[in-house]
């Protein structure tokens, strides 16, 4: 059986974890957390990066820092993971879903402005498959309407838009290091802060609403409760694991990229013949081979394709069920405008196995099985 995902492992992780244990420092914000923060700052250009317990938590931090509250509206795509929406719903806000572009599956930047009301406080672009949203347009709309921008860059490590890392355009950028992402710490994430004046408030929110970070730097002589906050600081064990992977990011990325390119090459004839559609990477976007998907004609064909692949030992999967069609989505949000693409495109999409270490042989098995399906149908 060819798995859909195998969590990345490069070999140095255990040594770093042992080191953290030997130093009797496994709570948060030790050597490895700082190394990861610094790595992220150097590789993204963010003012400050803070490792968190998940991308969900990074987004919760962003919602708190942006001061989102009851009655506020937050615009986001419906085609996304629940973690894009929950942090704002937890603050009492209403989620306003808008339609996606069929080419990238990202928020359609042209549909944001019509969804803005006087209650709108923020836009949350999701960079699906590590392919950037149209950030120039989105930032321009945000400036004109004085809105905050929180980028869900969970899948966006090492991706860029016009040469700038994802997560560094908005007020906050949220990354995930869950085991399904390109680099992993099991469960974990990071928040990128792009303005100097956001750094201290973010440290406070992440440290249970205390100014403990300042205390550890020796800037104050005791620490206390200064604001609302929670516990968003990961253990050094997880940070040590991640650090091994960040150091080896080029190895991971080269491997994933050659898998992605191989899929693209091998499946292109089927796309040329009009049988399937392949991912689109717009000009100016550098993607990170986070995901390889294809689109079947419709839901029925997709169901049969997934079944066919399963019978050939290939585990391919569909992705998000649009949030606005879920029971919680209906309760906490509304869809603005027409659902032209969200439902239809999500029902056609199939993700193929793609992970660090996927062998060429397994790769051919997957492509052969796809080709066989289309020869027969
Ligand atoms: C993975 C993912 C998340 C959640 O990440 P966690 O680290 O598991 O909280 C959020 N948004 C998107 C788009 C994701 O792919």
């Amino acid at each position: 059986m060819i798995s859909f995902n195998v969590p990345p492992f490069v070999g140095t992780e255990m040594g770093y974890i042992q080191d953290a244990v030997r130093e009797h420092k496994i709570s948060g914000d030790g050597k490895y957390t700082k190394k990861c923060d610094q790595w992220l700052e150097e590789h993204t250009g963010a003012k400050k990066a803070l490792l968190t317990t998940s991308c969900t938590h990074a987004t919760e931090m962003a919602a708190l820092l942006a001061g989102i509250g009851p009655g506020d509206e937050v615009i986001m795509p419906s085609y996304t993971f629940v973690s894009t929406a929950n942090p704002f719903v937890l603050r009492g806000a209403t989620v306003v879903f808008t339609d996606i572009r069929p080419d990238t599956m990202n928020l359609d930047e042209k549909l944001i402005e019509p969804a803005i009301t006087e209650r709108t406080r923020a836009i949350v672009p999701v960079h699906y498959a590590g392919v950037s949203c149209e950030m120039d347009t989105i930032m321009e709309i945000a400036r004109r309407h004085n809105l905050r921008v929180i980028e869900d860059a969970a899948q966006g490590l090492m991706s860029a838009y016009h040469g700038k890392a994802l997560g560094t355009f908005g007020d906050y950028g949220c990354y995930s290091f869950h085991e399904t992402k390109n680099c992993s710490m099991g469960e974990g994430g990071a928040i990128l802060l792009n303005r100097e004046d956001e750094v201290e408030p973010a440290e406070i929110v992440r440290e249970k609403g205390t100014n403990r970070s300042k205390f550890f730097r020796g800037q104050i002589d005791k620490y206390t409760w200064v604001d609302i906050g929670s516990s968003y600081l990961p253990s050094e064990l997880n940070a040590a694991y991640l650090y091994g992977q960040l150091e080896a990011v080029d190895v991971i990325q080269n491997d994933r990229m050659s898998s992605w390119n191989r899929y693209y090459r091998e499946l292109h004839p089927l796309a040329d013949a009009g049988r399937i559609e392949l991912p689109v990477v717009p000009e100016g976007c550098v993607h990170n081979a986070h995901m390889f998907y294809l689109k079947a004609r419709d839901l029925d064909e997709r169901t049969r394709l997934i079944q066919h692949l399963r019978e050939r030992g290939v585990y391919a999967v569909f992705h998000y069920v649009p949030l606005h069609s879920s029971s919680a989505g209906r309760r906490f949000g509304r869809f603005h405008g027409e659902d032209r693409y969200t439902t239809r495109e999500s029902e056609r999409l199939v993700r193929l196995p793609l992970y660090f270490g996927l062998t060429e042989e397994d790769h051919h098995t997957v492509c052969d099985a796809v080709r066989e399906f289309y020869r027969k149908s």
Side-chain angles (χ1 to χ4, degrees), residues 56-87:
T56 310
H57 282 167
T59 313
E60 284 184 24
M61 284 181 64
L64 277 163
L65 290 165
I68 304 295
D72 292 345
E73 292 180 355
V74 178
I75 296 173
M76 66 180 66
S78 168
Y79 185 70
T80 185
F81 191 50
V82 294
S83 295
T84 316
N86 266 318

Side-chain angles (χ1 to χ4, degrees), residues 123-166:
I123 306 169
V124 191
V126 179
H127 305 297
Y128 187 67
V131 175
S132 181
C133 297
E134 273 310 315
M135 290 314 293
D136 284 345
T137 310
I138 292 172
M139 291 313 295
E140 194 270 319
I141 294 169
R143 264 191 294 274
R144 201 140 34 76
H145 294 271
N146 194 25
L147 305 175
R148 311 308 288 282
V149 174
I150 297 137
E151 295 178 69
D152 183 336
Q155 304 173 9
L157 182 73
M158 301 303 282
S159 288
Y161 174 78
H162 295 312
K164 202 163 133 64
L166 301 193

